[in-house]
Amino acid sequence: MVLLANGAVPGEPVKTDKNSRRGNWGNQIEFILTSVGYAVGLGNVWRFPYLCYRNGGGAFMFPYFIMLVFCGIPLFFLELSFGQFASQGCLGVWRISPMFKGVGYGMMVVSTYIGIYYNVVICIAFYYFFSSMTNLLPWTYCNNPWNTPTCNGVVTPTGINNTLANVTRSLVTGAAEVAVEVVNKTKRTSPSEEYWKHYVLKISDDIGNFGEVRLPILGCLAVSWVVVFLCLIRGVKSSGKVVYFTATFPYVVLTILFIRGITLEGAVTGIKYYLTPQWHKILDAKVWGDAASQIFYSLGCAWGGLITMASYNKFHNNCYRDSIIISITNCATSVYAGFVIFSILGFMAHHLNVDVSEVADHGPGLAFVAYPEALTLLPISPLWSLLFFFMLILLGLGTQFCLLETLVTAIVDEIGTDWIIRNKTVVTGGVAIVGFLLGVPLTTQAGIYWLLLMDNYAASFSLVIISCIMCICIMYVYGHKKYFKDVEMMLGFPPPIFFRVCWRFVSPIIISFILIFTVIQYKPITYNDYVYPGWSLAIGFLMAMSSVTCIPIYALYKISKSEGTTFLERLKNSCKADIKWGPALSEHRIGHYAAPVSEGEVEVRPLKEELKEKEDEKRDEISLTIQGSNGSTAHNTTPSA
C-alpha cells in the first residue's frame, strides 16, 4: 500500500520524503509561519501606510494588487520551487547553471547587510520596550534634562505633582512660543522627537562624527542577537517551533491596537485619509513604481531567504499553494496595519488640530517618533506602548531568523562536510557574533545616519538586478521547458499557464521597469534637514554594487576554470547544469536525473527506455515508485545485465 504525505504527490511514500542528513520542517505549518514571519516585517507597519497616503490613498491599492498578481506571487512561487526542488540554500541551487553562482553570493551579501542593520532596529525596539516599563512614558512631557526650549508637548500634566510640572512646562512652553514667533511659526519639536534624538541616539551633527558608543543600545543589540541565536540553535527544528508565537502574536497585538484605535475620536478621519482614492494619481508613473517596489521588497524576493526556507521542505510539498497563501497574507497584513496606524494618527491629528499628513512619517520617524507620541495620548499609555514595541520586536525577529538562517545554510551547504553539518550550531553562533560586531558602529552617535544609508542603498536596485538575472538564468539559460518539467516532477502537475507566462515575459518586464524607474527617480538620501556628504553616498553605492559585482566576477572565474579550448566552448560548458543538479535524495532522482550507483559501474540504458521516458515522463515516474516490504521505495533505473 502506498502512503501519502500531507500535501505530497500521489505515489510517494512518506518515509522516503525526509532528508534526515540535512533536516526538514517538523510540519508544513512551521514552514508557512516562518515564511509569513519572514515576509511580514517592519516595512509592513511603517512603509506601506506611508506609501498609501503619499500616492493617492485608496488609489494606490489598485496598482499595488496588480503588481502583486503579475510580479509578486509569480516570483515568490519561482523562488520557493527553486529551493525546494534542489533542497539547497542560495548557493547550492546554482548547480542549475554554475556560471550564475555569483547570484547566490550576491544574495548572501544582501542578506548580510540587511541582517546587520535590521537587528539594530530591533534592538532600538527592545530599548523602547524596556523604557515603557514605567508608570509614565519618559517622552510624555518636556520637563526632562534632555529637552530643549523649543520642545512643546501635547499632554497636560495631571496628578499630585502637576503644580511643579506645570511651572516647568509653562516656562519651557513660554520660551518655545517666543522662539516660534521669532522664526515665523517654526514647527514645534515634540517630546518624543527630542527623546529619540537627544536621549536615545544622542545624535551627532555629521555621519563622520561617530562620537561615543551608546551603551544602552549596545546592550540591547547584544540581547537581540542572543535571542536570535537561541531561537536558531537547532536550525529549523528550533526556529520552526518559535514561529508559532513570533509569527502569530503580532496579529493579536495589531487586533488589540485596531480595536482601541477605531474607538478614538478622530480615528475615522485618519482611516478616510488612508482609503480615499485620489484617482488623478493613478496615471502617475511614480505611483506604479512605488507599488511595484513595495511588493518586491515586502515579499523578500532575491534576499535568498525564500530559497533557503523552501529548501527544508519535503520534496513533494505543494509550494504552489504555499506561495499564494503567504503572498496574500503578507499583503493583507500591510493593508490591516494601515488601518491600525491611521486610526491612531487620525486621533493624533484631531488632538493637535492638524492634517494627518503632518503627523505621519516614514521609516524610523513613524515607529519611534510619531507613534510613541500618539501613545502618550492614550489612557494607560505604558500598556499600549509595551504592546506596540513588543509587536515591532516580534515582526523584526521573524525576518531576522530567516536572514541568519540564509547565511548559515549557505555556508553549511557549500562546505557540506559531516563535521560542519553536525556542528551547525557553532556556525550559527559564529555568524551571530560577527553580525553583532559589525553592528557596533550603528550604536554610536552617528549610527542612525549609517543605518539609513544601508537601508537605502544596500538592498535597493541590487535586489532588482539579482532577481532579473535569476529569472533569465532559469527561464532562458537552463531552459523554461526543462524547469517546467522539474516542477511537474516535484508537484505532480505543471505550473499553471499564468505563471509560465509571467516567469518568461511579464515578471522580467516588470522587474526591468522597476530598475529603470529606480534610476530615473533617484534622489540623494537625506535625514530630516541633514544632507549626506558625497563621500558617504559613494560608500552607499559601493555597498549596492558589492552584491551585484559578485555576478560577473564569479562568472569570469567559472568560465576560466571550465573545459574547452575557445571562449565560447568554456562559456557553454560553464552554463550547463552540474551533474549534481536535481533532487537531493536518490529516491527522487528519477527519469533523466537517475544516476549510476557508483562511478565504476557503467549504466546501460536502452534507447527504447529513454524515448519512453521523454514521451510519457509522468506515467514512467508512477510506474517506477514501488513500495517495498521495508517501507523504502525501489527504482528500477538500471536494467539487469
Side-chain angles (χ1 to χ4, degrees), residues 141-153 168-177 179-180 186-199 203:
Y141 303 132
C142 288
N143 57 350
N144 302 290
W146 59 81
N147 291 128
T148 65
T150 58
C151 179
N152 186 8
T168 306
R169 183 177 182 275
S170 59
L171 289 173
V172 175
T173 305
E177 288 174 352
V180 166
T186 303
K187 187 178 179 182
R188 74 178 182 88
T189 307
S190 66
S192 61
E193 184 177 355
E194 295 203 347
Y195 180 79
W196 163 249
K197 285 184 178 180
H198 304 316
Y199 185 76
I203 189 169

Side-chain angles (χ1 to χ4, degrees), residues 89-91 108 404-417 420 427-428 430-431:
C90 62
L91 291 181
M108 284 188 67
L404 187 62
E405 186 63 40
T406 297
L407 299 175
V408 173
T409 299
I411 295 170
V412 172
D413 285 349
E414 186 68 7
I415 298 175
T417 62
I420 201 166
V427 180
T428 305
V431 173

Side-chain angles (χ1 to χ4, degrees), residues 434-515:
V434 172
F436 168 74
L437 294 176
L438 292 176
V440 171
L442 301 184
T443 64
T444 62
Q445 290 178 263
I448 188 64
Y449 298 123
W450 290 100
L451 189 151
L452 292 175
L453 186 72
M454 295 178 73
D455 184 40
N456 280 271
Y457 288 93
S460 55
F461 65 86
S462 56
L463 286 178
V464 183
I465 296 174
I466 289 172
S467 190
C468 188
I469 293 176
M470 182 180 69
C471 271
I472 292 171
C473 172
I474 297 174
M475 291 295 109
Y476 297 101
V477 179
Y478 176 67
H480 63 277
K481 291 183 179 179
K482 287 193 287 185
Y483 191 74
F484 296 160
K485 287 183 179 180
D486 290 343
V487 173
E488 183 177 3
M489 185 176 83
M490 179 173 65
L491 301 182
F493 57 88
I497 189 170
F498 171 77
F499 287 90
R500 283 181 272 170
V501 172
C502 285
W503 286 347
R504 293 185 63 194
F505 307 111
V506 180
S507 295
I509 291 173
I510 292 177
I511 293 171
S512 302
F513 163 73
I514 298 172
L515 178 61

Side-chain angles (χ1 to χ4, degrees), residues 295-610:
I295 284 290
F296 194 83
Y297 301 131
S298 178
L299 291 176
C301 298
W303 290 15
L306 298 177
I307 294 175
T308 301
M309 295 302 104
S311 71
Y312 291 105
N313 278 334
K314 294 177 181 179
F315 182 72
H316 290 307
N317 169 64
N318 191 344
C319 58
Y320 165 67
R321 170 203 60 201
D322 296 341
S323 63
I324 295 176
I325 292 174
I326 297 165
S327 300
I328 293 177
T329 301
N330 173 69
C331 296
T333 303
S334 294
V335 176
Y336 187 38
F339 282 99
V340 178
I341 295 297
F342 273 87
S343 63
I344 300 293
L345 294 179
F347 166 65
M348 188 175 175
H350 173 79
H351 190 92
L352 298 174
N353 197 27
V354 296
D355 193 76
V356 178
S357 62
E358 295 183 33
V359 294
D361 202 356
H362 177 214
L366 177 60
F368 301 117
V369 177
Y371 209 97
E373 183 171 11
L375 292 171
T376 62
L377 304 176
L378 299 174
I380 324 176
S381 54
L383 172 63
W384 303 111
S385 183
L386 283 169
L387 284 174
F388 176 73
F389 288 109
F390 188 53
M391 178 187 69
L392 286 188
I393 291 169
L394 294 181
L395 287 173
L397 287 176
T399 302
Q400 190 68 15
F401 290 157
C402 297
L403 289 170
L404 187 62
E405 186 63 40
T406 297
L407 299 175
V408 173
T409 299
I411 295 170
V412 172
D413 285 349
E414 186 68 7
I415 298 175
T417 62
D418 289 333
W419 183 90
I420 201 166
I421 290 174
R422 287 195 308 268
N423 294 276
K424 188 177 178 180
T425 302
V426 177
V427 180
T428 305
V431 173
I433 291 172
V434 172
F436 168 74
L437 294 176
L438 292 176
V440 171
L442 301 184
T443 64
T444 62
Q445 290 178 263
I448 188 64
Y449 298 123
W450 290 100
L451 189 151
L452 292 175
L453 186 72
M454 295 178 73
D455 184 40
N456 280 271
Y457 288 93
S460 55
F461 65 86
S462 56
L463 286 178
V464 183
I465 296 174
I466 289 172
S467 190
C468 188
I469 293 176
M470 182 180 69
C471 271
I472 292 171
C473 172
I474 297 174
M475 291 295 109
Y476 297 101
V477 179
Y478 176 67
H480 63 277
K481 291 183 179 179
K482 287 193 287 185
Y483 191 74
F484 296 160
K485 287 183 179 180
D486 290 343
V487 173
E488 183 177 3
M489 185 176 83
M490 179 173 65
L491 301 182
F493 57 88
I497 189 170
F498 171 77
F499 287 90
R500 283 181 272 170
V501 172
C502 285
W503 286 347
R504 293 185 63 194
F505 307 111
V506 180
S507 295
I509 291 173
I510 292 177
I511 293 171
S512 302
F513 163 73
I514 298 172
L515 178 61
I516 294 170
F517 194 81
T518 301
V519 174
I520 292 175
Q521 71 166 3
Y522 168 76
K523 293 180 181 178
I525 181 178
T526 60
Y527 177 60
N528 294 334
D529 296 329
Y530 177 76
V531 179
Y532 279 68
W535 62 267
S536 65
L537 297 179
I539 293 176
F541 276 109
L542 287 175
M543 283 192 292
M545 294 305 298
S546 61
S547 56
V548 176
T549 52
C550 292
I551 301 173
I553 290 174
Y554 188 86
L556 293 173
Y557 165 78
K558 191 64 183 178
I559 292 171
S560 67
K561 294 294 182 181
S562 297
E563 296 179 355
T565 55
T566 66
F567 177 80
L568 288 178
E569 286 180 359
R570 291 183 175 185
L571 177 64
K572 185 177 179 181
N573 289 330
S574 64
C575 289
K576 285 182 180 178
D578 190 276
I579 193 172
K580 293 182 180 179
W581 162 251
L585 300 181
S586 58
E587 54 263 33
H588 298 144
R589 297 184 72 90
I590 58 178
H592 65 281
Y593 287 108
V597 177
S598 63
E599 294 181 3
E601 181 180 346
V602 179
E603 181 182 31
V604 181
R605 296 177 61 83
L607 179 62
K608 184 190 303 184
E609 183 181 340
E610 293 182 1

Side-chain angles (χ1 to χ4, degrees), residues 195-348:
Y195 180 79
W196 163 249
K197 285 184 178 180
H198 304 316
Y199 185 76
V200 178
L201 301 179
K202 288 191 176 178
I203 189 169
S204 64
D205 58 352
D206 185 72
I207 189 172
N209 182 14
F210 285 92
E212 63 180 11
V213 172
R214 297 288 296 120
L215 293 180
I217 297 179
L218 183 66
C220 290
L221 182 63
V223 170
S224 183
W225 275 110
V226 169
V227 170
V228 172
F229 169 71
L230 292 177
C231 292
L232 291 174
I233 197 166
R234 293 181 57 226
V236 295
K237 293 298 182 185
S238 56
S239 66
K241 301 298 182 289
V242 174
V243 293
Y244 280 105
F245 179 74
T246 59
T248 57
F249 194 74
Y251 290 97
V252 177
V253 179
L254 275 175
T255 302
I256 293 172
L257 292 173
F258 173 71
I259 294 172
R260 177 56 187 153
I262 60 176
T263 59
L264 296 171
E265 191 175 5
V268 175
T269 304
I271 293 175
K272 281 183 178 178
Y273 192 94
Y274 171 50
L275 292 179
T276 302
Q278 300 173 29
W279 292 113
H280 65 279
K281 289 191 175 183
I282 202 75
L283 300 177
D284 188 351
K286 191 176 189 313
V287 175
W288 289 82
D290 283 348
S293 299
Q294 175 63 11
I295 284 290
F296 194 83
Y297 301 131
S298 178
L299 291 176
C301 298
W303 290 15
L306 298 177
I307 294 175
T308 301
M309 295 302 104
S311 71
Y312 291 105
N313 278 334
K314 294 177 181 179
F315 182 72
H316 290 307
N317 169 64
N318 191 344
C319 58
Y320 165 67
R321 170 203 60 201
D322 296 341
S323 63
I324 295 176
I325 292 174
I326 297 165
S327 300
I328 293 177
T329 301
N330 173 69
C331 296
T333 303
S334 294
V335 176
Y336 187 38
F339 282 99
V340 178
I341 295 297
F342 273 87
S343 63
I344 300 293
L345 294 179
F347 166 65
M348 188 175 175

Side-chain angles (χ1 to χ4, degrees), residues 587-641:
E587 54 263 33
H588 298 144
R589 297 184 72 90
I590 58 178
H592 65 281
Y593 287 108
V597 177
S598 63
E599 294 181 3
E601 181 180 346
V602 179
E603 181 182 31
V604 181
R605 296 177 61 83
L607 179 62
K608 184 190 303 184
E609 183 181 340
E610 293 182 1
L611 291 174
K612 184 180 178 182
E613 287 177 355
K614 291 180 180 179
E615 290 174 1
D616 197 357
E617 185 176 353
K618 185 176 180 181
R619 180 181 173 187
D620 188 49
E621 177 182 347
I622 296 173
S623 67
L624 288 171
T625 307
I626 305 170
Q627 177 68 24
S629 59
N630 60 351
S632 63
T633 301
H635 298 287
N636 186 18
T637 57
T638 307
S640 57

Side-chain angles (χ1 to χ4, degrees), residues 46-67:
W46 69 40
R47 193 169 191 266
F48 177 80
Y50 169 79
L51 290 176
C52 259
Y53 85 77
R54 192 183 75 178
N55 291 303
F60 179 74
M61 301 289 187
F62 180 73
Y64 180 76
F65 286 112
I66 290 291
M67 293 299 177

